[in-house]
Amino acid sequence: MKKIDLVVGLQWGDEGKGKIVDLLISRNKYDVVMRGNGGNNAGHSISFNDKTFSVHSLPSGILQECINIIGPGCVVNPKAIVSELDNLGDYVSGELVISDRCPLILEKHIIEDKKLEDKKAHNSVGTTLKGIGPAYAALKNRTAVFAGDLLDIEKTLKRFDFLETEEKESLIIELTLYKKLIGKYIKNISPIVYDAKNILVEGAQATMLDNLYGTYPYVTSSNTIVSSLLTGTGLNYKYINKVYGVTKFYTTRVGNGPFITEMGEDTAKTVQKIGKEIGVSTGRIRRCGWIDLVQLKYAIGLNGITDLCMMKSDVMDDFEEIQLCNSYNEINTQNNIKYIPFDISKYKPNYVSFNGWHSDTFNKPLNSSPDELNTIFKYIEKELDVHLTFISTGPAREATVFVH
Ligand code: IMP
Ligand code: MG
């Protein structure tokens, strides 16, 4: 019977999904790896043989021998695809397939993204400026151009009769170029998906950036949670085997928006430095905060997580004290809650403190964690009611322990 595993980020992105995906592919020999949301706003780092690779729109299986599908829930920038493939060069081992149902990111979407961010000024979202929002908006407005449309440009243009002549002419030039760039990868994915036995679905962005369930308006324009990945890949729930949720031992976010467990400046600087918290896609420094169990519980519930992956506890090797947020208090009423409220800016976090472990765990397989760290892991498992399956302490493939 067909089996589907999914990997999603539980926080605001950059949890280390790329590494977990890469590791699962090496362990489980998936025949197909799929993306189901987002575009080249994503940035996944994969390290092996002392080299680090960055992928943005491509599925992380592209460096291994499997079929890599960009599913219909993704928006595709053809130039970005080609430049990513060029950057990876001979390391590309997998086959790339772009679903004919993927909406394209057009030049005008990138211009619109920038314009809207400028207009919003201090209220800007802090988008990656890659045109993601306008491309999804075009889909909802029924003015999208799909990858499959590139295969019959003449017919496609009939849908755009309403455009001014000049705009239409530049669209013809743009689509002709895109066909040349990615035409050979565009397919109807149904036959591949029907035949696949073992599929891995790789989420992009993360739960708190979900357009509906995240910290709106400081979110991305796609839905990012597991149910939307089923929509974005065309797979169905009957075959789901495991749902891996990836979190860091602390929290980061790039871009603007509320961040209830954000650390004081000095602590954040230490985490940024040791954890190398700089964006893969945009080079921006990431904001840092303590781990938020209220937020993680919400994410675990929304996604139906079966297995938790804990990344980067090593960043806190030298910390005297570790703080974990386990509830929120409403600032005006002191009302104590353990769920995500509609307006999080009206709340402040409550923390429980644990002693640090003071030993060097970086890039080491944590077969037996230091006692203090183990106590924290046990507390997290109990609060979140989920099994900790992977513990990762560094970029190397070897620095990951499979706990259960
Ligand atoms: P957009 O996805 O470019 O529209 O950006 C919307 C928000 O999502 C911004 O705060 C981005 O920084 C954030 N974002 C988008 N993709 C990622 C990602 O892969 N990791 C982390 N943040 C992201
Ligand atoms: Mg990333």
Side-chain angles (χ1 to χ4, degrees), residues 140-330:
K140 299 292 180 188
N141 274 337
R142 288 140 299 184
T143 55
V145 179
F146 291 91
D149 286 332
L150 296 178
L151 306 180
D152 190 347
I153 294 178
E154 214 171 297
K155 177 160 183 242
T156 303
L157 287 170
K158 293 199 179 116
R159 263 189 5 245
F160 292 90
D161 266 347
F162 64 91
L163 294 178
E164 303 290 334
T165 317
E166 207 177 310
E167 217 184 328
K168 203 166 166 192
E169 273 165 9
S170 63
L171 185 64
I172 298 174
I173 296 169
E174 194 178 358
L175 299 189
T176 310
L177 169 68
Y178 292 169
K179 181 179 182 179
K180 209 166 105 199
L181 294 179
I182 61 165
K184 62 179 172 191
Y185 304 117
I186 299 170
K187 286 188 187 153
N188 182 331
I189 61 170
S190 297
I192 308 172
V193 170
Y194 287 154
D195 288 347
K197 292 277 176 295
N198 208 3
I199 303 178
L200 182 66
V201 177
E202 175 184 19
Q205 290 78 49
T207 306
M208 299 310 284
L209 290 170
D210 183 280
N211 190 256
L212 188 55
Y213 290 99
T215 42
Y216 193 95
Y218 303 101
V219 292
T220 192
S221 298
S222 64
N223 294 102
T224 59
I225 61 175
V226 162
S227 46
S228 55
L229 288 176
L230 295 179
T231 308
T233 53
L235 297 168
N236 75 57
Y237 67 91
K238 274 196 294 191
Y239 303 119
I240 293 180
N241 175 45
K242 296 265 185 192
V243 183
Y244 296 93
V246 188
T247 177
K248 281 194 269 214
F249 192 72
Y250 47 93
T251 312
T252 62
R253 73 174 299 181
V254 280
N256 304 327
F259 189 177
I260 193 165
T261 62
E262 191 155 21
M263 291 161 166
E265 207 175 321
D266 289 347
T267 320
K269 273 197 179 133
T270 309
V271 173
Q272 272 154 9
K273 191 158 163 251
I274 305 175
K276 299 195 176 67
E277 293 300 348
I278 297 165
V280 174
S281 282
T282 58
R284 289 182 294 184
I285 289 178
R286 297 180 185 136
R287 298 159 65 193
C288 298
W290 299 104
I291 198 165
D292 182 346
L293 299 179
V294 178
Q295 180 268 304
L296 284 178
K297 206 178 170 90
Y298 174 73
I300 285 167
L302 278 172
N303 288 297
I305 300 301
T306 60
D307 295 70
L308 188 66
C309 309
M310 180 63 72
M311 319 300 283
K312 296 181 98 164
S313 51
D314 55 281
V315 169
M316 298 195 157
D317 274 353
D318 290 327
F319 275 53
E320 287 297 326
E321 189 186 44
I322 309 293
Q323 306 221 61
L324 284 78
C325 168
N326 61 1
S327 68
Y328 301 158
N329 267 17
E330 191 168 14

Side-chain angles (χ1 to χ4, degrees), residues 12-17 41-45 55 205 279-281 286:
W12 278 270
D14 309 307
E15 297 90 352
K17 294 181 291 292
N41 50 347
H44 295 165
S45 312
V55 293
Q205 290 78 49
V280 174
S281 282
R286 297 180 185 136

Side-chain angles (χ1 to χ4, degrees), residues 8 10 14 24 64 74 88-89 109-110 114 116 119 148 187 189 213 216 221 256 266 272 323 347 355 387 401:
V8 289
L10 297 178
D14 309 307
L24 288 171
Q64 309 205 36
C74 299
L88 296 173
H109 297 145
I110 301 170
K114 288 186 181 137
L116 193 58
K119 214 163 152 184
K187 286 188 187 153
I189 61 170
Y213 290 99
Y216 193 95
S221 298
N256 304 327
D266 289 347
Q272 272 154 9
Q323 306 221 61
Y347 290 78
N355 290 331
H387 278 303
V401 169

